[in-house]
């Protein structure tokens, strides 16, 4: 009577391989013990019918292992039977995965992410989030100051802009969460002046953002394949242009000494934060296509 061998190559289960204990830790890029429970300076066990000193055909092999040392862990099990994680092997940066990194050589047929790939875009998102959150709080304080000085129309402008900055900060926060990054911790310091001084300070901040801050951030996010971050940066940059234009109009009228003839209402797109002083001929947001009916009114 022919006895069926205990070990089978390919997709069948291997019953005589050494046991590998799982550490239970969450591992980004783990590698199996090589070989499992193998004494030092002893040749590793060869899989059945596997020629010596040949890379295994149906078995996974970590890049850190020599070619002549095949693993006893099949490809389909290599991602589950793990030990303590080694140093992350170099990623193949030429093989882009899109929004979250590059293809790693750790596991055959499995994608994992190198933490260093998105570092710059993550830092940019945190910087933008801090800037937009600070602007949101600052413009709210500017609105209160404008009301105290008897400029309700300018107060409305600051209120609308504050809401727009809050929307930008929310978009950046969601992009950070998408990349698995933590939100930054920061303090907000607000310096109040007269309404005219506040308008000039706000305009200077907006001009800096759409001329110097956001353009390189957009380019970096595009290079990293971070689509959501790039979209949030682009939306914020265009909305800041609108804010600078509205602030400039208010500054001109205040400096002229004439009676203010500013809009009494403003609308903010809830998706991208674009700000409108008139809805004439507007059916939807030109940045994100949100219909006018969903705009926030101030």
């Amino acid at each position: 009577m022919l006895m069926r061998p205990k070990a089978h190559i390919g997709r069948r289960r291997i019953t005589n391989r050494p046991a590998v204990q799982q550490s239970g830790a969450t591992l980004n890029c783990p590698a199996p013990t090589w070989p499992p429970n193998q004494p030092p300076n002893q040749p590793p066990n060869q899989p059945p019918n596997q020629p010596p000193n040949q890379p295994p055909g149906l078995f996974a092999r970590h890049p850190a292992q020599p070619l002549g040392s095949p693993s006893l862990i099949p490809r389909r099990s290599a991602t589950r039977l793990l030990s303590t994680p080694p140093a992350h092997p170099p990623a193949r940066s030429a093989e882009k995965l899109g929004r979250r990194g590059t293809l790693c050589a750790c596991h055959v047929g499995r994608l994992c992410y190198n933490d260093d790939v998105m570092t710059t875009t993550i830092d940019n998102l945190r910087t933008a989030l801090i800037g937009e959150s600070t602007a949101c709080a600052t413009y709210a304080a500017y609105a209160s100051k404008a009301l105290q000085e008897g400029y309700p129309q300018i107060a409305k402008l600051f209120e609308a802009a504050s809401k727009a900055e809050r929307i930008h900060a929310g978009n950046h926060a969601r992009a950070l969460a998408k990349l698995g990054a933590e939100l930054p911790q920061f303090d907000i310091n607000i310096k109040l002046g007269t309404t005219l001084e506040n308008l000039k300070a706000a305009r200077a901040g907006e001009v800096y953002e759409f001329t110097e801050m956001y353009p390189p951030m957009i380019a970096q996010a595009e290079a990293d394949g971070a689509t959501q971050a790039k979209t949030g940066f682009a939306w914020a940059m265009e909305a800041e242009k609108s804010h600078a234009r509205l602030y400039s109009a208010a500054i001109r009228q205040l400096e002229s000494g004439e009676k203010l003839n500013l809009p009494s209402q403003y609308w903010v797109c809830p998706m991208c934060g674009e700000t409108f002083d008139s809805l004439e001929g507007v059916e939807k947001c030109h940045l994100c296509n949100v219909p006018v009916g969903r705009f926030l009114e101030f």
Side-chain angles (χ1 to χ4, degrees), residues 141-163:
Y142 288 174
S144 298
K145 183 66 174 178
L147 281 177
Q148 293 176 6
E149 295 186 356
Y151 301 117
Q153 296 166 315
I154 297 178
K156 286 281 187 181
L157 171 58
F158 278 132
E159 289 176 1
S162 175
K163 180 61 176 179

